Amino acid sequence: MRAAFTKMHGLGNDFVVLDARAADLPVITTGFARAITDRRTGIGCDQLIVLEPSDTADLRMRIFNPDGGEVGACGNATRAVALLHGSAVQIETGGGILNARPGDGGATVDMGQPRFDWDAIPLAYPMDTLAMPVGWEALDNPTAVNVGNPHAVFFIPDCDAVDLAQIGPVIEQDPLFPERVNVNVATVTDRDHIRLRVWERGAGITRACGTGACATAVAAMRRNLTDREVTVTLPGGDLQIVWGEDNRIRMTGPATEAYRGSFEWDDFA
Ligand SMILES: N[C@@H](CCC[C@H](N)C(=O)O)C(=O)O
């Protein structure tokens, strides 16, 4: 069968979006997710996004990493889906129901409440998640946060100096993180500004990670390194993150539709 897709971007973090509400699609297998996201032989993207009907929200968003694994949250894709939807929308995700609203060339998303308990990250055994007594080479003492997906955040003087391609996969796959982890290296430049690079679980280095920006902002706020409203600058651009008094994280930033196309399903099955 021929399937239609939309290529979307959120700060250079790019997605192939399939709408299973518009057409009956075959089951998404690990092999299909790997093939379609592969930049050498597939259409290529950082995450495959599949939209489905939902019983509890306006739509359900499923998220697949290039390693084929399905995960609970993707901040940049949530903004992209809000833009595609065109008006305020409730989106069911593996991490909960998110409210999103398009506007100003992007969208604002209520990403919900962060979780800090060791077994909610999850970690393999109990420890203080605010200042974890662990380290890998020059990176140590991270903060762990779950924002629908697991993140470890390292605050360091210069995040550009880290060889993320080398150390990222080592931390991602450490047995301390039974569901693996997204690795964030961050530099606080001011009480309202953070620079951030991310090694994404199941994807590698991306130009931006929305949940990474949320997790990093909340970690910085918990450590009293910043105020409750910050700009997070990623290689792909800026996100505004607010951690409200209601304990909810709100993320605002750009999203764009790149192009539409179609492919033969059997070529990737
Ligand atoms: N790019 C995303 C995060 C995608 C999922 C992540 N790699 C995971 O495995 O949790 C974002 O913008 O948040």
Side-chain angles (χ1 to χ4, degrees):
M1 66 172 284
R2 226 167 155 81
F5 71 94
T6 307
K7 188 74 179 289
M8 301 290 297
H9 288 247
L11 288 182
N13 186 197
D14 64 343
F15 316 106
V16 167
V17 181
L18 303 182
D19 194 344
R21 300 166 304 168
D24 271 346
L25 297 182
V27 172
I28 308 291
T29 61
T30 302
F32 174 80
R34 283 186 183 154
I36 203 90
T37 53
D38 192 327
R39 291 187 197 277
R40 294 161 304 178
T41 52
I43 297 166
C45 59
D46 292 326
Q47 272 87 35
L48 165 67
I49 304 298
V50 182
L51 305 182
E52 296 181 349
S54 168
D55 293 333
T56 51
D58 295 315
L59 58 92
R60 176 170 180 233
M61 175 174 87
R62 297 178 65 197
I63 305 150
F64 298 86
N65 278 328
D67 68 357
E70 185 168 2
V71 295
C74 180
N76 290 330
T78 311
R79 292 198 318 280
V81 168
L83 188 79
L84 259 185
H85 186 77
S87 59
V89 58
Q90 283 205 316
I91 303 172
E92 180 189 347
T93 67
I97 293 180
L98 306 178
N99 286 289
R101 179 170 39 85
D104 287 340
T108 297
V109 184
D110 178 341
M111 295 293 292
Q113 302 185 342
R115 290 181 296 156
F116 309 113
D117 290 341
W118 70 272
D119 50 351
I121 301 302
L123 301 179
Y125 46 88
M127 73 171 67
D128 175 14
T129 59
L130 183 57
M132 296 165 66
V134 294
W136 294 264
E137 300 174 22
L139 295 178
D140 63 5
N141 206 219
T143 295
V145 186
N146 188 304
V147 288
N149 57 355
H151 289 266
V153 184
F154 296 85
F155 292 103
I156 48 176
D158 181 8
C159 63
D160 291 322
V162 175
D163 185 351
L164 204 49
Q166 182 265 321
I167 195 70
V170 175
I171 301 172
E172 177 199 350
Q173 290 166 38
D174 192 287
L176 176 59
F177 304 103
E179 294 180 11
R180 309 195 346 254
V181 76
N182 295 286
V183 181
N184 301 266
V185 289
T187 300
V188 175
T189 58
D190 217 325
R191 293 219 35 108
D192 63 357
H193 185 245
I194 302 171
R195 287 193 292 119
L196 176 65
R197 293 171 63 222
V198 186
W199 171 273
E200 284 195 30
R201 172 180 67 170
I205 295 175
T206 56
R207 290 188 53 72
C209 176
T211 50
C214 293
T216 299
V218 164
M221 293 166 197
R222 281 190 84 205
R223 287 192 176 200
N224 195 23
L225 299 172
T226 64
D227 299 331
R228 304 272 297 209
E229 218 173 310
V230 294
T231 299
V232 179
T233 298
L234 294 125
D238 289 356
L239 290 172
Q240 314 301 325
I241 311 291
V242 180
W243 187 18
E245 294 304 327
D246 57 1
N247 190 28
R248 303 187 77 81
I249 308 167
R250 291 181 182 82
M251 170 193 60
T252 301
T256 40
E257 179 177 322
Y259 64 93
R260 293 183 184 223
S262 65
F263 62 91
E264 206 55 53
W265 194 282
D266 285 348
D267 290 347
F268 300 96

